[in-house]
């Protein structure tokens, strides 16, 4: 009986110790947590330093993250959200759900200045239409694309950050002529998918000539598959930039751990994973640290980027213009 009591006591102690392992819940987009995405490597590396259980929760595409947070409100289980971008940060800030990160982001290598109390960047890239190198008469701007018979797959701006990025790309490049451009593009669009993964999969299956993606997407095929048959079309208007960010929730019960994760996000252990898993440019590594193959990617003639506030102010009208053009 004495041995049984001792054993039971040890079990209680062991159970208590296990229960005390802190859990950090990070909401992100589905491709980040896929087997081929950054999630598994990031989880292993951070757990080796934090003495915690890092749990990624996939929540669709990037724009769907904000929708989920709005729905859950203060009851959200998220401690950190990773995968919003600067087209969404103003709207995310207005929810009041995010707390200042308190981190000085030294060593950033973004091509733009960064000053944001709530959100920290982890990668960036340029939107582009990816196609097979065998495609003839590749359009060199949106007007040429609209005038062509080239078929495209795009993503929904209401659920996808690339889809919203395309909306802002047309806005930044054409302003008041955005509606005209969308009307011209309507018959080029095969379908509009909820997220990037679905759209890129349709392109790879041969359902469209081009897909909205990134200038860095061909690096995946070149490096991971040794396939040089994919490239991105260079558009004369320039290419819209995406800066992806993470932020901590004000209601987190693990504020120190959440802040530690955000700080870890800017270390080489995290940043070196990005180029060959998320296939984007890391936010805190120099170009010299990029893997071989990235030097083959197109360089935009101009980098386009609306401020978070301007993107938020123009979103609803741009979305209405897009919907009206595609419904005709």
């Amino acid at each position: 009986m004495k041995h049984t009591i001792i054993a039971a006591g040890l079990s209680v102690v062991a159970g208590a110790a296990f229960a005390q392992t802190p859990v950090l819940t990070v909401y992100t987009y589905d491709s980040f947590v896929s087997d081929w995405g950054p999630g598994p490597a990031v989880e292993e590396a951070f757990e080796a330093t934090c003495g915690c259980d890092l749990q990624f929760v996939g929540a669709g595409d990037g724009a769907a993250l904000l929708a989920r947070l709005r729905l859950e409100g203060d009851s959200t289980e998220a401690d950190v959200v990773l995968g919003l971008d600067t087209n969404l940060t103003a709207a995310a800030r207005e929810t009041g759900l995010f707390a200042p990160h308190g981190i000085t982001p030294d060593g950033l290598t973004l091509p733009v200045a960064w000053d944001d109390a709530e959100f920290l960047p982890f990668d960036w890239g340029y939107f582009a239409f990816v196609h097979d190198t065998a495609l003839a008469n590749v359009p060199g701007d949106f007007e040429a694309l609209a005038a062509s018979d080239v078929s495209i797959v795009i993503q929904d701006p209401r659920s996808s950050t690339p889809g919203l990025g395309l909306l802002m790309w047309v806005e930044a490049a054409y302003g008041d002529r955005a509606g005209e451009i969308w009307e011209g593009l309507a018959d080029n669009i095969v379908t509009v998918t909820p997220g990037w993964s679905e759209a890129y999969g349709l392109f790879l299956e041969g359902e469209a000539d081009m897909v909205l993606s990134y200038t860095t997407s061909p690096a995946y095929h070149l490096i991971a598959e040794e396939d040089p048959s994919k490239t991105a079309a260079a558009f004369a208007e320039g290419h819209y930039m995406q800066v992806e960010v993470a932020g901590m929730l004000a209601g987190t019960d693990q504020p120190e751990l959440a802040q530690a994760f955000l700080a870890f996000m800017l270390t080489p252990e995290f940043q070196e994973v990005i180029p060959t898993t998320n296939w984007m440019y890391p936010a805190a590594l120099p170009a010299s640290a990029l893997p071989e193959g990235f030097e083959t990617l197109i360089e935009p003639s101009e980098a386009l980027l609306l401020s978070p506030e301007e993107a938020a102010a123009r979103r609803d009208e741009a979305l209405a213009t897009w919907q009206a053009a595609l419904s005709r």
Side-chain angles (χ1 to χ4, degrees):
M1 176 66 73
K2 186 174 183 180
H3 293 296
T4 302
I5 292 172
I6 293 173
L10 290 174
S11 296
V12 170
V13 171
F18 178 79
Q20 290 171 1
T21 301
V23 175
L24 185 72
T25 302
V26 178
Y27 283 8
T28 187
Y29 46 82
D30 288 345
S31 63
F32 194 94
V33 297
S34 66
D35 290 341
W36 47 266
V42 168
E43 181 177 358
E44 181 179 1
F46 185 63
E47 286 184 345
T49 68
C50 71
C52 70
D53 179 11
L54 173 59
Q55 295 185 1
F56 283 115
V57 176
D61 214 327
L65 291 171
L66 182 55
R68 177 166 176 172
L69 281 178
R70 282 173 167 158
L71 181 65
E72 295 178 347
D74 292 332
S75 64
T76 182
E77 295 181 359
D79 300 300
V80 172
V81 171
L82 181 152
L84 303 177
D85 67 14
T86 55
N87 290 326
L88 293 171
T89 50
R93 208 181 330 268
E94 288 178 0
T95 67
L97 295 173
F98 288 88
H101 52 68
I103 295 170
T104 301
D106 296 326
L108 293 180
T109 53
L110 294 171
V112 294
W114 192 262
D115 182 17
D116 193 310
E118 284 82 29
F119 299 100
L120 286 168
F122 64 92
D123 69 14
W124 64 279
Y126 296 105
F127 295 115
F129 284 95
V130 172
H131 62 90
D132 288 334
T133 54
L135 181 66
N137 302 317
V138 176
D141 57 38
F142 280 105
E143 291 181 294
L145 175 57
S148 75
D149 60 359
V150 170
S151 59
I152 61 175
V153 180
I154 65 173
Q155 298 87 36
D156 193 323
R158 295 164 295 187
S159 57
S160 164
T161 51
L164 183 56
L166 177 58
L167 211 64
M168 295 299 107
W169 187 2
V170 174
E171 283 287 312
Y174 289 95
D176 292 341
R177 292 188 57 211
E180 174 189 339
I181 296 299
W182 280 116
E183 288 177 13
L185 291 173
D187 61 356
N188 299 89
I189 299 171
V190 173
T191 190
V192 178
T193 65
W196 175 88
S197 296
E198 301 96 323
Y200 209 82
L202 288 173
F203 163 68
L204 293 178
E205 292 167 6
E207 297 297 323
D209 298 320
M210 304 175 81
V211 60
L212 175 66
S213 193
Y214 299 88
T215 62
T216 47
S217 296
Y220 164 76
H221 300 284
L222 182 63
I223 297 171
E225 300 180 334
E226 298 183 354
D227 176 8
S229 69
K230 304 293 185 291
T231 189
F235 273 23
E237 304 97 327
H239 290 249
Y240 197 84
M241 182 187 300
Q242 181 182 46
V243 181
E244 294 195 295
V245 303
M248 60 185 287
L249 278 298
T252 176
D253 59 359
Q254 299 288 345
E256 293 182 359
L257 197 55
Q259 188 180 48
F261 177 81
L262 293 177
F264 176 79
M265 196 175 68
L266 298 179
T267 66
E269 287 77 12
F270 184 110
Q271 291 287 298
E272 289 173 355
V273 171
I274 291 298
T276 55
T277 55
N278 225 30
W279 303 99
M280 296 279 277
Y281 293 109
L285 282 182
S288 59
L290 293 173
E292 185 178 352
F294 270 68
E295 77 283 355
T296 67
L297 304 176
I298 68 165
E299 289 289 338
S301 59
E302 182 179 357
L304 305 175
L305 183 65
L306 300 177
S307 71
E309 294 72 26
E310 188 174 5
R314 296 170 71 166
R315 180 184 181 276
D316 288 346
E317 184 175 351
L319 183 58
T321 299
W322 175 81
Q323 289 176 305
L326 268 59
S327 65
R328 291 175 184 170

PDB file of all heavy atoms in Angstrom, residues 174-191:
ATOM      1  N   TYR A 174      -3.291  51.920 -61.448  1.00  0.00           N
ATOM      2  CA  TYR A 174      -4.249  52.541 -62.360  1.00  0.00           C
ATOM      3  C   TYR A 174      -5.226  53.514 -61.716  1.00  0.00           C
ATOM      4  O   TYR A 174      -5.900  54.267 -62.435  1.00  0.00           O
ATOM      5  CB  TYR A 174      -5.033  51.450 -63.107  1.00  0.00           C
ATOM      6  CG  TYR A 174      -4.190  50.715 -64.108  1.00  0.00           C
ATOM      7  CD1 TYR A 174      -3.567  49.512 -63.774  1.00  0.00           C
ATOM      8  CD2 TYR A 174      -3.983  51.220 -65.385  1.00  0.00           C
ATOM      9  CE1 TYR A 174      -2.767  48.835 -64.688  1.00  0.00           C
ATOM     10  CE2 TYR A 174      -3.183  50.554 -66.310  1.00  0.00           C
ATOM     11  CZ  TYR A 174      -2.588  49.362 -65.948  1.00  0.00           C
ATOM     12  OH  TYR A 174      -1.790  48.697 -66.866  1.00  0.00           O
ATOM     13  N   GLY A 175      -5.347  53.491 -60.408  1.00  0.00           N
ATOM     14  CA  GLY A 175      -6.210  54.452 -59.744  1.00  0.00           C
ATOM     15  C   GLY A 175      -7.637  54.437 -60.263  1.00  0.00           C
ATOM     16  O   GLY A 175      -8.321  53.410 -60.220  1.00  0.00           O
ATOM     17  N   ASP A 176      -8.099  55.560 -60.808  1.00  0.00           N
ATOM     18  CA  ASP A 176      -9.482  55.693 -61.272  1.00  0.00           C
ATOM     19  C   ASP A 176      -9.800  54.773 -62.447  1.00  0.00           C
ATOM     20  O   ASP A 176     -10.972  54.546 -62.766  1.00  0.00           O
ATOM     21  CB  ASP A 176      -9.761  57.147 -61.684  1.00  0.00           C
ATOM     22  CG  ASP A 176      -9.748  58.088 -60.494  1.00  0.00           C
ATOM     23  OD1 ASP A 176      -9.896  57.607 -59.354  1.00  0.00           O
ATOM     24  OD2 ASP A 176      -9.586  59.309 -60.696  1.00  0.00           O
ATOM     25  N   ARG A 177      -8.783  54.230 -63.103  1.00  0.00           N
ATOM     26  CA  ARG A 177      -9.017  53.337 -64.237  1.00  0.00           C
ATOM     27  C   ARG A 177      -9.110  51.866 -63.803  1.00  0.00           C
ATOM     28  O   ARG A 177      -9.214  50.974 -64.647  1.00  0.00           O
ATOM     29  CB  ARG A 177      -7.883  53.467 -65.262  1.00  0.00           C
ATOM     30  CG  ARG A 177      -7.840  54.816 -65.990  1.00  0.00           C
ATOM     31  CD  ARG A 177      -6.806  54.757 -67.097  1.00  0.00           C
ATOM     32  NE  ARG A 177      -7.091  53.671 -68.042  1.00  0.00           N
ATOM     33  CZ  ARG A 177      -6.146  52.999 -68.705  1.00  0.00           C
ATOM     34  NH1 ARG A 177      -4.861  53.252 -68.499  1.00  0.00           N
ATOM     35  NH2 ARG A 177      -6.488  52.036 -69.555  1.00  0.00           N
ATOM     36  N   ALA A 178      -9.110  51.608 -62.501  1.00  0.00           N
ATOM     37  CA  ALA A 178      -9.123  50.232 -62.006  1.00  0.00           C
ATOM     38  C   ALA A 178     -10.330  49.456 -62.526  1.00  0.00           C
ATOM     39  O   ALA A 178     -10.208  48.296 -62.930  1.00  0.00           O
ATOM     40  CB  ALA A 178      -9.102  50.216 -60.483  1.00  0.00           C
ATOM     41  N   GLY A 179     -11.510  50.089 -62.532  1.00  0.00           N
ATOM     42  CA  GLY A 179     -12.708  49.413 -63.012  1.00  0.00           C
ATOM     43  C   GLY A 179     -12.585  48.990 -64.465  1.00  0.00           C
ATOM     44  O   GLY A 179     -12.998  47.884 -64.845  1.00  0.00           O
ATOM     45  N   GLU A 180     -11.990  49.860 -65.259  1.00  0.00           N
ATOM     46  CA  GLU A 180     -11.776  49.553 -66.682  1.00  0.00           C
ATOM     47  C   GLU A 180     -10.851  48.350 -66.839  1.00  0.00           C
ATOM     48  O   GLU A 180     -11.092  47.475 -67.686  1.00  0.00           O
ATOM     49  CB  GLU A 180     -11.178  50.783 -67.359  1.00  0.00           C
ATOM     50  CG  GLU A 180     -10.751  50.596 -68.799  1.00  0.00           C
ATOM     51  CD  GLU A 180      -9.964  51.789 -69.320  1.00  0.00           C
ATOM     52  OE1 GLU A 180     -10.072  52.892 -68.750  1.00  0.00           O
ATOM     53  OE2 GLU A 180      -9.212  51.599 -70.305  1.00  0.00           O
ATOM     54  N   ILE A 181      -9.810  48.307 -66.034  1.00  0.00           N
ATOM     55  CA  ILE A 181      -8.869  47.178 -66.103  1.00  0.00           C
ATOM     56  C   ILE A 181      -9.568  45.882 -65.719  1.00  0.00           C
ATOM     57  O   ILE A 181      -9.424  44.850 -66.398  1.00  0.00           O
ATOM     58  CB  ILE A 181      -7.655  47.426 -65.188  1.00  0.00           C
ATOM     59  CG1 ILE A 181      -6.851  48.652 -65.669  1.00  0.00           C
ATOM     60  CG2 ILE A 181      -6.755  46.191 -65.124  1.00  0.00           C
ATOM     61  CD1 ILE A 181      -6.294  48.522 -67.066  1.00  0.00           C
ATOM     62  N   TRP A 182     -10.365  45.900 -64.657  1.00  0.00           N
ATOM     63  CA  TRP A 182     -11.051  44.689 -64.218  1.00  0.00           C
ATOM     64  C   TRP A 182     -12.081  44.223 -65.243  1.00  0.00           C
ATOM     65  O   TRP A 182     -12.243  43.013 -65.461  1.00  0.00           O
ATOM     66  CB  TRP A 182     -11.713  44.906 -62.863  1.00  0.00           C
ATOM     67  CG  TRP A 182     -10.750  44.786 -61.729  1.00  0.00           C
ATOM     68  CD1 TRP A 182     -10.379  45.765 -60.844  1.00  0.00           C
ATOM     69  CD2 TRP A 182     -10.003  43.625 -61.361  1.00  0.00           C
ATOM     70  NE1 TRP A 182      -9.459  45.279 -59.950  1.00  0.00           N
ATOM     71  CE2 TRP A 182      -9.204  43.960 -60.245  1.00  0.00           C
ATOM     72  CE3 TRP A 182      -9.935  42.328 -61.870  1.00  0.00           C
ATOM     73  CZ2 TRP A 182      -8.354  43.058 -59.630  1.00  0.00           C
ATOM     74  CZ3 TRP A 182      -9.079  41.419 -61.257  1.00  0.00           C
ATOM     75  CH2 TRP A 182      -8.308  41.784 -60.151  1.00  0.00           C
ATOM     76  N   GLU A 183     -12.755  45.158 -65.880  1.00  0.00           N
ATOM     77  CA  GLU A 183     -13.706  44.764 -66.924  1.00  0.00           C
ATOM     78  C   GLU A 183     -12.985  44.068 -68.074  1.00  0.00           C
ATOM     79  O   GLU A 183     -13.496  43.100 -68.653  1.00  0.00           O
ATOM     80  CB  GLU A 183     -14.458  45.999 -67.424  1.00  0.00           C
ATOM     81  CG  GLU A 183     -15.465  46.538 -66.420  1.00  0.00           C
ATOM     82  CD  GLU A 183     -16.143  47.806 -66.907  1.00  0.00           C
ATOM     83  OE1 GLU A 183     -16.020  48.127 -68.117  1.00  0.00           O
ATOM     84  OE2 GLU A 183     -16.799  48.481 -66.088  1.00  0.00           O
ATOM     85  N   GLY A 184     -11.783  44.548 -68.393  1.00  0.00           N
ATOM     86  CA  GLY A 184     -10.997  43.906 -69.442  1.00  0.00           C
ATOM     87  C   GLY A 184     -10.484  42.544 -69.060  1.00  0.00           C
ATOM     88  O   GLY A 184     -10.366  41.642 -69.900  1.00  0.00           O
ATOM     89  N   LEU A 185     -10.203  42.363 -67.762  1.00  0.00           N
ATOM     90  CA  LEU A 185      -9.646  41.086 -67.282  1.00  0.00           C
ATOM     91  C   LEU A 185     -10.712  40.019 -67.039  1.00  0.00           C
ATOM     92  O   LEU A 185     -10.378  38.830 -66.940  1.00  0.00           O
ATOM     93  CB  LEU A 185      -8.878  41.307 -65.974  1.00  0.00           C
ATOM     94  CG  LEU A 185      -7.566  42.096 -66.033  1.00  0.00           C
ATOM     95  CD1 LEU A 185      -7.058  42.358 -64.622  1.00  0.00           C
ATOM     96  CD2 LEU A 185      -6.520  41.344 -66.847  1.00  0.00           C
ATOM     97  N   ALA A 186     -11.955  40.424 -66.956  1.00  0.00           N
ATOM     98  CA  ALA A 186     -13.022  39.498 -66.545  1.00  0.00           C
ATOM     99  C   ALA A 186     -13.052  38.235 -67.391  1.00  0.00           C
ATOM    100  O   ALA A 186     -13.227  37.130 -66.857  1.00  0.00           O
ATOM    101  CB  ALA A 186     -14.367  40.210 -66.582  1.00  0.00           C
ATOM    102  N   ASP A 187     -12.895  38.380 -68.716  1.00  0.00           N
ATOM    103  CA  ASP A 187     -12.993  37.176 -69.556  1.00  0.00           C
ATOM    104  C   ASP A 187     -11.698  36.375 -69.604  1.00  0.00           C
ATOM    105  O   ASP A 187     -11.655  35.303 -70.213  1.00  0.00           O
ATOM    106  CB  ASP A 187     -13.452  37.534 -70.968  1.00  0.00           C
ATOM    107  CG  ASP A 187     -12.500  38.463 -71.694  1.00  0.00           C
ATOM    108  OD1 ASP A 187     -11.500  38.901 -71.072  1.00  0.00           O
ATOM    109  OD2 ASP A 187     -12.734  38.770 -72.878  1.00  0.00           O
ATOM    110  N   ASN A 188     -10.650  36.865 -68.958  1.00  0.00           N
ATOM    111  CA  ASN A 188      -9.406  36.087 -68.838  1.00  0.00           C
ATOM    112  C   ASN A 188      -9.438  35.150 -67.631  1.00  0.00           C
ATOM    113  O   ASN A 188      -8.677  34.178 -67.569  1.00  0.00           O
ATOM    114  CB  ASN A 188      -8.184  36.999 -68.691  1.00  0.00           C
ATOM    115  CG  ASN A 188      -7.964  37.918 -69.866  1.00  0.00           C
ATOM    116  OD1 ASN A 188      -8.485  39.022 -69.891  1.00  0.00           O
ATOM    117  ND2 ASN A 188      -7.189  37.456 -70.851  1.00  0.00           N
ATOM    118  N   ILE A 189     -10.309  35.467 -66.673  1.00  0.00           N
ATOM    119  CA  ILE A 189     -10.312  34.756 -65.392  1.00  0.00           C
ATOM    120  C   ILE A 189     -11.083  33.453 -65.503  1.00  0.00           C
ATOM    121  O   ILE A 189     -12.285  33.441 -65.769  1.00  0.00           O
ATOM    122  CB  ILE A 189     -10.914  35.648 -64.284  1.00  0.00           C
ATOM    123  CG1 ILE A 189     -10.074  36.913 -64.112  1.00  0.00           C
ATOM    124  CG2 ILE A 189     -10.985  34.880 -62.966  1.00  0.00           C
ATOM    125  CD1 ILE A 189     -10.699  37.951 -63.196  1.00  0.00           C
ATOM    126  N   VAL A 190     -10.387  32.342 -65.299  1.00  0.00           N
ATOM    127  CA  VAL A 190     -11.017  31.018 -65.327  1.00  0.00           C
ATOM    128  C   VAL A 190     -11.864  30.812 -64.082  1.00  0.00           C
ATOM    129  O   VAL A 190     -13.008  30.369 -64.136  1.00  0.00           O
ATOM    130  CB  VAL A 190      -9.951  29.908 -65.436  1.00  0.00           C
ATOM    131  CG1 VAL A 190     -10.584  28.527 -65.302  1.00  0.00           C
ATOM    132  CG2 VAL A 190      -9.185  30.026 -66.739  1.00  0.00           C
ATOM    133  N   THR A 191     -11.288  31.151 -62.933  1.00  0.00           N
ATOM    134  CA  THR A 191     -11.994  31.022 -61.663  1.00  0.00           C
ATOM    135  C   THR A 191     -11.289  31.860 -60.609  1.00  0.00           C
ATOM    136  O   THR A 191     -10.142  32.272 -60.782  1.00  0.00           O
ATOM    137  CB  THR A 191     -12.080  29.549 -61.206  1.00  0.00           C
ATOM    138  OG1 THR A 191     -12.973  29.436 -60.098  1.00  0.00           O
ATOM    139  CG2 THR A 191     -10.716  29.006 -60.802  1.00  0.00           C
TER     140      THR A 191
END
